Amino acid sequence: MTQYYSEHSKVWVSVDCIIFGFEGNKLKLLIGKRQMDPGRGEWSLYGGFVNSNENLEDAANRVLYNLTGLRKLYMKQVGAFGAIDRDPGERVISIAYCALINVKDYDDSLREQYGLEWFNLDEMPKLYSDHNEMIKKAIFLLRQRIKTEPLSFNLLPSLFTLTQLQRVYEAILGQEIDKRNFRKRIKTFDFIEKTDLIDKFHSKRGAALYRFNKKTYNEDPTFKL
Amino acid sequence: MTQYYSEHSKVWVSVDCIIFGFEGNKLKLLIGKRQMDPGRGEWSLYGGFVNSNENLEDAANRVLYNLTGLRKLYMKQVGAFGAIDRDPGERVISIAYCALINVKDYDDSLREQYGLEWFNLDEMPKLYSDHNEMIKKAIFLLRQRIKTEPLSFNLLPSLFTLTQLQRVYEAILGQEIDKRNFRKRIKTFDFIEKTDLIDKFHSKRGAALYRFNKKTYNEDPTFKL
DNA sequence: CCAAAAGTGTTCCGTCTACACCCATGG
DNA sequence: CCATGGGTGTAGACGGAACACTTTTGG
């Protein structure tokens, strides 16, 4: 039961986006150097203030769209971060959101325009404010969810090989997976469909391309890695 | 990379507390009727605004302390709720926190003073604003965490019987558990210690009382229900 | 012809599940 | 003496983990 508004002070609220990508068998994050004070020049997540006429998710989607040109990305709230002095300038509470994107869908000129870089997760520098904490929590949640939700497909092209899929799981979980056991498991899911197409780019022999059938998945949305 | 503060508008930020208790083999929530506008008279979680000089957790702890007189409760953030019109009066973003308390530790006169009631989880009325959503997410998270963290002890007295413990799990997971299998599992945890004490209150024969040894748990903090 | 990745089954072991009866006591 | 909850063990099913070789082809 909230008390009356007027007795209390308002604060700024922002969103910060933790953008995961997958390339070269590594999980990567998109970060950039802050181009404004406070914290100018420090590595940082990309964010923005929440406007008075937008929902939190809308604000996060706006920031993501500006940055990537992509809509309908997978996006999930990570949590609210509100230590008093987390922003050295003013009191700002930030809601962190995590997004998964397919690096290939992402226009690299936009990346350069915003001065962003892909960093391997295990080579992350010290970031501005509490952004490292946000990432830590995002990874924790991602590792949980990847086991019960078909998320990996968001990090891959719509057609992918089973080896690529396996590498995504390995990168997120941080451990190697047995190839035969993995494929055996995948075969039990109807919504991961083999196509007639062959990828001849990543191997000499060629590998079958698969696709994630969202409709089939929604008919029976059970998934257990 | 956040933009300059001044271009953007501030909003009110509140915390709302989802307080779980356990009694009569049921999981319960503490809610009350709003005593102020907007929403006067509607059932509601208890909350409060975040002051400019406190962290989010501090605000939640303050609200919890005022309400229960208890400190050092188990408390975890559930998430930020920020739909534009979630508060009918003004734009208020709320961070939901979930707490677990032992009903017996709770001074019932405080409950009456604040006009609060314990409601069974499965008999929850329609609550003010998005509070039902908050509860839904809190339960989802609780069900996840209860499997990997020793949380149930927060809902029980420091001395408890194995049957009580089992009932907590059953109430949270919403399914019956086999007594023998449950006890077999519990015996594998060193940090759940049998005492010499006997509870003669809940049964004629008497049941051994156990205690959760936090120190032992911290030495080897692995737990899997 | 060789390096590099794709593809494919079986066995073993440990864990989870199902299941029923005796015990102690207060009323 | 009986109703109530406390306490205990085993066998079978199932799922997860370990493990190695053949195929294809581009260079």
Side-chain angles (χ1 to χ4, degrees), chain A residues 5 11 47 55 77 80 84 87, chain B residues 1 5 11 55 77 80 84 87:
Chain A
Y5 309 114
V11 296
N55 297 328
Q77 188 184 114
I84 297 169
D87 185 302
Chain B
M1 270 147 300
Y5 309 114
V11 296
N55 297 328
Q77 188 185 114
I84 298 171
D87 185 301

Side-chain angles (χ1 to χ4, degrees), chain A residues 31 43-44 119-128 132 135:
Chain A
I31 59 176
W43 288 107
S44 163
F119 270 72
N120 284 345
L121 204 54
D122 46 12
E123 295 165 2
M124 204 54 50
K126 165 84 186 76
L127 302 184
Y128 172 71
N132 290 94
I135 292 174

Side-chain angles (χ1 to χ4, degrees), chain A residues 1-5, chain B residues 14-16 34 36 45 47-49 87 128:
Chain A
M1 269 147 299
T2 42
Q3 294 150 62
Y4 295 104
Y5 309 114
Chain B
S14 65
V15 292
D16 282 302
R34 281 176 70 87
M36 76 284 296
L45 295 173
F49 283 98
D87 185 301
Y128 173 71

Side-chain angles (χ1 to χ4, degrees), chain B residues 20-37:
Chain B
F20 287 98
F22 179 76
E23 205 176 27
N25 294 343
K26 293 272 190 178
L27 201 55
K28 302 193 171 218
L29 278 178
L30 200 56
I31 59 178
K33 288 204 168 167
R34 281 176 70 87
Q35 288 162 11
M36 76 284 296
D37 292 310

